[in-house]
Amino acid sequence: NAGVTQTPKFQVLKTGQSMTLQCAQDMNHNSMYWYRQDPGMGLRLIYYSASEGTTDKGEVPNGYNVSRLNKREFSLRLESAAPSQTSVYFCASIEMGLGGSEQFFGPGTRLTVL
Amino acid sequence: DQQVKQNSPSLSVQEGRISILNCDYTNSMFDYFLWYKKYPAEGPTFLISISSIKDKNEDGRFTVFLNKSAKHLSLHIVPSQPGDSAVYFCAASAMGYGNKLVFGAGTILRVKS
């Protein structure tokens, strides 16, 4: 039981390049989330998927797109990377409940955009 | 406009003493509060939570207190251990918000041996 896995762990991009961050969970959770963590800002929600087949914007969605490929996988795409997207990205999942359950996080992807 | 605030960027405590981490929130719709712990190069891990219908929740060395009238919660760690040194994030959610969490900026706790 690996929990939430993310690939890659590290990535360096040049401005304008594109890439996809992959996330998978093996806990049969319905909801999945993408966050970014910046110094002094905590974790900010980029996009989330309440269930397979649905996606919604979070607090900071600009410059990103997501795909909920199936129940296990939720990917985050940067179409044209910008230096402002340099951050640590975390994927999380949660079993659909009454709003009181904790989220399980992956180990993160550290992205640098030059 | 930060809805969840952790005003102390860092805290240093002696091993064996109490650590108190504080968190304030502004949105009165929040009804569930969580604390996460994060080590370097790892994802956050869930520590403890509290529902708005309670004012205290205890789990071993960790206790969370909620003061709804003051929109304030705190995490007490007693006794503090060197392995507790990490970044602690306070988070809040509201029923009907799709289990979305709003996080504070985090407090770095250093427990000195």
Side-chain angles (χ1 to χ4, degrees), chain A residues 33 42 48 98-100 102-103 106, chain B residues 32 36 43 46 95 98-100 104:
Chain A
Y33 306 78
Y48 69 103
L98 299 177
E102 69 271 17
Q103 295 185 359
Chain B
Y32 194 70
Y36 280 82
F46 170 75
M95 183 75 72
N99 293 320
K100 292 183 289 184

Side-chain angles (χ1 to χ4, degrees), chain A residues 41-60:
Chain A
M41 301 289 287
L43 284 84
R44 292 181 293 169
L45 183 65
I46 305 171
Y47 269 93
Y48 69 103
S49 172
S51 61
E52 187 178 353
T54 68
T55 60
D56 284 288
K57 296 178 181 179
E59 181 186 354
V60 288

Side-chain angles (χ1 to χ4, degrees), chain B residues 23-83:
Chain B
C23 179
D24 297 294
Y25 62 97
T26 58
N27 190 340
S28 58
M29 297 297 291
F30 289 144
D31 56 10
Y32 194 70
F33 304 90
L34 308 90
W35 285 94
Y36 280 82
K37 176 179 179 179
K38 185 184 179 304
Y39 293 117
E42 295 183 10
T45 55
F46 170 75
L47 192 57
I48 192 169
S49 63
I50 187 166
S51 164
S52 60
I53 63 173
K54 295 185 176 181
D55 54 19
K56 176 183 175 182
N57 189 27
E58 191 171 354
D59 184 1
R61 296 185 298 113
F62 303 92
T63 303
V64 57
F65 295 92
L66 175 63
N67 182 334
K68 283 180 292 183
S69 61
K71 293 191 177 69
H72 176 84
L73 63 154
S74 61
L75 174 68
H76 293 209
I77 306 173
V78 183
S80 300
Q81 299 173 355

Side-chain angles (χ1 to χ4, degrees), chain A residues 51-96:
Chain A
S51 61
E52 187 178 353
T54 68
T55 60
D56 284 288
K57 296 178 181 179
E59 181 186 354
V60 288
N62 291 343
Y64 305 95
N65 283 301
V66 290
S67 295
R68 183 73 183 268
L69 304 171
N70 47 56
K71 192 171 186 179
R72 287 188 65 248
E73 299 171 289
F74 188 38
S75 62
L76 178 72
R77 182 159 179 84
L78 287 71
E79 290 291 352
S80 179
S84 61
Q85 294 178 304
T86 293
S87 188
V88 182
Y89 291 85
F90 290 102
C91 177
S93 71
I94 188 174
E95 190 170 318
M96 185 70 82

